[in-house]
Amino acid sequence: MAETEKQITGEVHDGAFYAEVEKHKAALSPSSGSEVGQDARFGINEKALLRKLDLKLLPALTLLYLLSFLDRSNVANARVEGLVVDLHMTGNQYLTGLTLYFIGYVLFEIPCNVVLKMTSPKVWLPTLTLAWGVVATLLGVTQNMAGFFAARFVLGMTESGLFPGVVFYLSMWYRREEQHYRVSLFFSAASLAGAFGGVLAWGIAHMNGVGGLHGWRWIFILEGIFTVLVSLISYRFIANYPSTAKFLTEKERACVHARLEASNDATRNEGFTWGNVLMAVRDPKVWLYGLGFHTMSLPLYTLSLFLPTIIKELGFTAAQAQLLTVPPYAVATALTLTVALLSERFKLRAPFIMGSAGLSAIGYIVLLTQTKPGVAYFGTILAAGGIYPATAIVLSWPANNVSGQTKRATANAMQISIGNLGAVLGTQLYRATDGPRYFLGHGFALGYLCANILVVGTLWAILRAENRKRDNGERDARLVGVGVDEWLGDEDPRWRFQT
């Protein structure tokens, strides 16, 4: 190690330098941790504790995200039921409404996560849900294009804080190696929303004429009211952090804290500072995580916002198109969970993202080259089957790899903000005159998926190289002059990145 230090710093250090470094490296490292089993210190079975956490935390959070994705994407179902005609909009004006949603989403992403850090999940997450539920309901009574535009923009504002907020929240409960699958399970609600949305839209559309309202209005109204009701209940079923969670016993609480101490920075008492926000902004890896999602968000949101229209343009009726959206999303849900399990088993992220993106790319090649409705429809299944697993892992990556609570919260928000700029572009690509082949939209989606493989491969190489440097002691000089109990975040030489 001495030779390595000479090469890096150009200095020769005495024995005291290396003694100080080894003292730090012998201290408890957030990148370490034992296998899940029986914790003799507290008499707690960790597997049973994990099951308890999963049952308490995940169903509630997954339901909120399912409603979030349903309320943002049901506009695609409403379109095929006559929304554009009734509001006297052109196809391009409808696309502008979709774009405004993502502009609101991007602008308020980071502020929402800052508010979460300054308040609490128990208050902030249900409040966001209540706000977007009201806006989603009002979409059903809007009477003109201006009202549609305003409602879509505010819907984006109010939904912007949920996903990055929940990713940060889960990082305060689970060890690093346990977060990935939980985030993927949570994200699978997006594909479930697509499947449920098609069936719900098919059923609700039969209410056409009830109360003098067209069927597409009832899609917004009923789904929005349900979101409002769930938000009111969620004030009771969303817990805060482990230190105050009432459903834990004192021994379970101590065990959770001990597990987190051995894995990440969740138990450290870190106050909010703007300096920690700037640390995320200045980290090139954070921008690469953002590009990783950016290159997935365009195909993700174009598929979710236009799938009913794409299927209808293949030659199916509106009712058939609503129901035919279910199989692609069902396959996507199954593959999201399967790929997440495999990624966890092999302790790898990048190869599974790249492989899933490749599968989706094949789907778009089928859509671009085939004219037979059945074969082209199979392309939508491949596209969805690759997009959702890849996106789930991409979104969980910074939660696993960014250390420092405020930096991680900011990185999560930055990733979604940068990513959704791709969605802003994507909302303008599927124009009414381009069907049924949609060369522009499908072509962009294919190009973005190829770019994703390149970005993720680059990030993979950077993280592997940094881990090697830390294994070889090339970053140990950072520990000099630092207290044993101090933590340098993901700049700490004891931290290892998940690749």
Side-chain angles (χ1 to χ4, degrees):
M1 185 171 68
E3 287 302 315
T4 301
E5 288 295 336
K6 290 178 186 177
Q7 293 169 8
I8 296 171
T9 66
E11 300 176 9
V12 178
H13 300 288
D14 59 20
F17 170 87
Y18 299 108
E20 185 172 355
V21 169
E22 290 305 317
K23 179 176 65 176
H24 283 79
K25 296 176 79 171
L28 186 63
S29 170
S31 63
S32 65
S34 59
E35 294 295 322
V36 176
Q38 185 77 23
D39 194 319
R41 293 170 294 177
F42 310 104
I44 298 293
N45 185 295
E46 291 188 67
K47 289 185 178 179
L49 178 59
L50 271 178
R51 285 195 298 269
K52 183 174 183 177
L53 296 182
D54 290 343
L55 290 173
K56 181 63 180 179
L57 303 176
L58 295 180
L61 297 174
T62 302
L63 176 60
L64 293 187
Y65 191 58
L66 187 151
L67 294 174
S68 169
F69 216 86
L70 185 66
D71 289 336
R72 80 182 63 169
S73 59
N74 58 9
V75 67
N77 304 107
R79 182 187 188 184
V80 300
E81 297 296 339
L83 176 149
V84 173
V85 175
D86 286 357
L87 296 187
H88 308 291
M89 294 189 295
T90 65
N92 287 342
Q93 288 169 337
Y94 167 79
L95 298 183
T96 300
L98 301 187
T99 303
L100 286 170
Y101 169 89
F102 289 104
I103 292 175
Y105 203 109
V106 169
L107 289 177
F108 286 85
E109 196 75 41
I110 294 177
C112 278
N113 245 28
V114 170
V115 173
L116 172 65
K117 187 69 174 70
M118 297 171 70
T119 57
S120 69
K122 187 175 182 66
V123 172
W124 185 236
L125 297 181
T127 300
L128 286 175
T129 307
L130 175 62
W132 91 62
V134 171
V135 177
T137 305
L138 292 177
L139 269 167
V141 296
T142 186
Q143 298 298 313
N144 51 48
M145 181 179 68
F148 177 71
F149 284 178
R152 289 298 294 181
F153 179 80
V154 178
L155 185 67
M157 286 172 48
T158 50
E159 287 195 354
S160 64
L162 182 69
F163 190 91
V166 170
V167 171
F168 171 75
Y169 175 67
L170 291 177
S171 73
M172 304 296 285
W173 282 90
Y174 294 97
R175 291 181 359 182
R176 291 180 68 201
E177 61 271 21
E178 296 162 353
Q179 294 167 22
H180 160 68
Y181 180 68
R182 272 77 186 178
V183 171
S184 295
L185 183 64
F186 166 71
F187 181 74
S188 68
S191 49
L192 279 176
F196 283 129
V199 174
L200 287 172
W202 175 82
I204 295 173
H206 286 81
M207 294 179 64
N208 190 41
V210 175
L213 300 177
H214 288 176
W216 68 265
R217 293 188 180 276
W218 284 113
I219 292 174
F220 289 127
I221 292 170
L222 292 182
E223 293 176 2
I225 289 174
F226 182 68
T227 298
V228 170
L229 293 175
V230 171
S231 73
L232 297 175
I233 300 170
S234 68
Y235 281 102
R236 295 186 61 85
F237 63 64
I238 297 293
N240 272 329
Y241 300 118
S243 59
T244 58
K246 295 181 180 179
F247 69 90
L248 293 175
T249 67
E250 287 304 317
K251 286 187 177 181
E252 288 172 337
R253 196 186 324 278
C255 186
V256 169
H257 275 272
R259 298 177 81 253
L260 293 175
E261 277 185 332
S263 174
N264 60 27
D265 57 24
T267 60
R268 296 177 184 272
N269 186 19
E270 179 190 307
F272 173 82
T273 67
W274 287 107
N276 289 333
V277 173
L278 290 175
M279 285 180 64
V281 175
R282 294 168 179 164
D283 188 342
K285 297 188 293 299
V286 171
W287 291 92
L288 285 172
Y289 294 129
L291 284 176
F293 179 49
H294 178 88
T295 49
M296 288 306 306
S297 71
L298 184 147
L300 170 70
Y301 284 112
T302 53
L303 190 74
S304 64
L305 291 172
F306 295 103
L307 185 58
T309 301
I310 292 170
I311 294 175
K312 183 182 177 184
E313 287 296 312
L314 294 177
F316 300 98
T317 66
Q320 289 172 332
Q322 302 284 24
L323 291 177
L324 285 172
T325 60
V326 176
Y329 287 122
V331 171
T333 301
L335 285 179
T336 297
L337 298 178
T338 301
V339 171
L341 282 171
L342 291 172
S343 174
E344 195 59 52
R345 174 172 295 180
F346 290 99
K347 307 298 181 187
L348 289 171
R349 304 290 181 259
F352 288 96
I353 298 171
M354 297 163 73
S356 297
L359 175 65
S360 186
I362 293 172
Y364 279 101
I365 291 172
V366 172
L367 283 166
L368 285 166
T369 58
Q370 291 296 321
T371 56
K372 294 180 180 179
V375 179
Y377 175 69
F378 179 67
T380 67
I381 295 176
L382 293 179
I387 287 171
Y388 284 87
T391 305
I393 303 176
V394 162
L395 290 171
S396 68
W397 218 357
N400 294 158
N401 275 350
V402 179
S403 183
Q405 296 170 17
T406 303
K407 181 181 180 181
R408 184 166 63 253
T410 305
N412 290 338
M414 283 179 60
Q415 184 191 41
I416 307 297
S417 296
I418 297 167
N420 280 325
L421 291 174
V424 171
L425 172 61
T427 55
Q428 295 295 319
L429 298 178
Y430 283 80
R431 300 175 182 178
T433 55
D434 292 347
R437 301 287 286 280
Y438 293 105
F439 286 110
L440 180 64
H442 293 338
F444 256 89
L446 177 59
Y448 260 61
L449 289 164
C450 293
N452 175 265
I453 294 173
L454 179 62
V455 170
V456 171
T458 301
L459 183 55
W460 188 22
I462 290 172
L463 296 177
R464 284 165 58 89
E466 182 61 28
N467 281 346
R468 283 195 299 270
K469 290 179 180 179
R470 297 182 183 197
D471 290 339
N472 294 333
E474 297 178 30
R475 300 292 190 239
D476 287 351
R478 294 173 181 172
L479 294 174
V480 177
V482 175
V484 174
D485 293 330
E486 271 190 77
W487 179 244
L488 302 179
D490 51 45
E491 293 296 311
D492 198 295
R494 296 165 290 181
W495 184 264
R496 295 297 181 273
F497 295 102
Q498 296 185 359
T499 61

